[in-house]
Structure formats: C-alpha cells, structure tokens
Amino acid sequence: MGAYLAESLIRDIPDFPQPGIIFKDITPVLQHPAAFREAVEAMMVNVRKSGADVLVGIESRGFIFGTPIAYELGLPFVVTRKQGKLPYDRISINYDLEYGSNTVEMHRDAILPGQKAYIVDDLLATGGTASASIQLVEGLGGHVVGFGCLIELSFLGGRNNLKGISIDSLIAF
Ligand code: AMP
C-alpha cells in the first residue's frame, strides 16, 4: 500500500486520449473525500513551506487541487489557461508537445513584479506545461518558488526540464 490513499485510486486508462498514452485518471480520488483531503493537505504543507505569496493553478486539473489550498492558506489564486479562454490583457507562451504544440496564457495583472509564486497541477509528465507556466510567471516579473503535483511520471524525466525549480510530487510512477 502506498503512503497516500490516492495511490490505489488513480485509474490507468490505456490509449487515451491517443494510442500509446496511459492516462492517469484522478476522478476516483475526487470521489473519495478522505483521499482528496489527504492529498490536498499534503500539497498544502509544501506550499506553506515554500513561502509563496501567490498560488498558480494550471488548467484544468490544477484548479481542482490549487483552489482549496489557496482558500485554506489565504493566498491569491491565479490561473494559467489554454489559448482563447482569458478575456483581459494577457501574455502567451507557445511550447512543443510530443505531437504538435500548445499555447498557455495568463492575465497581465495576475502576478505582481517580485511576487513569489507556487505552481500547482495534477500531474507532471514531460514538464512542458509546467515549464511554460514558469515562463509566464517570470515574464510578469514573478519568482517561482516551487511546483507541486499529485502525480509525477518519473520515467518521462520532466524534472530535467524544470532545472532550478523545487518540485514536490506526492506519488511517482
Ligand atoms: P507535460 O506538459 O508533458 O508535463 O504534461 C502535463 C499536463 O498534461 C498536465 O496538465 C496533465 O494533466 C496532462 N497529462 C500529461 N500526461 C498525462 C497522463 N498520462 N495522464 C493524465 N494527464 C496527463
């Protein structure tokens, strides 16, 4: 048995959303209140330790884990979203995926210069999404003091793309 209740609940979905990908489905964790609470509280300990003064959530599952942490710690919560979703002035970063590319955006007033930001997502795979989010924070003059996720797919080496950033993951595969 793993250290977290969530570990036995994460469901592998082979060949989703495309052949060759094993999708880590976290919805059973969300449906299990004790497992969800345990995971959020463990992530929250790491955010508190980081000394962050703003929490950044990555669309969309980063919102699920990030908002209860921001609420509980009394931190501002800001969002990184896919292109075309944010209505106000924004900055954009384009990054390569295994196939094709993706663009993420943040509102220009989301981070104040000098703010210490901690970034949250559900899962770290290649690190492309996290790296783009770091560039958004830094592009607005903020400092990234940590990245946290529930699941890390260690075999994809995402950490190597996030050099110099402290990474907290609860469950590694
Ligand atoms: P990456 O940019 O490669 O680190 O991918 C991380 C982002 O894609 C996160 O927002 C994840 O939610 C999602 N993701 C990537 N791979 C998987 C996977 N195998 N299962 C579930 N989500 C994934």
Side-chain angles (χ1 to χ4, degrees), residues 21-24 61 121-129 153:
I21 303 287
I22 299 176
F23 190 85
K24 297 290 186 187
R61 290 183 293 273
D121 203 357
D122 66 325
L123 181 146
L124 176 66
T126 66
T129 309
L153 301 182

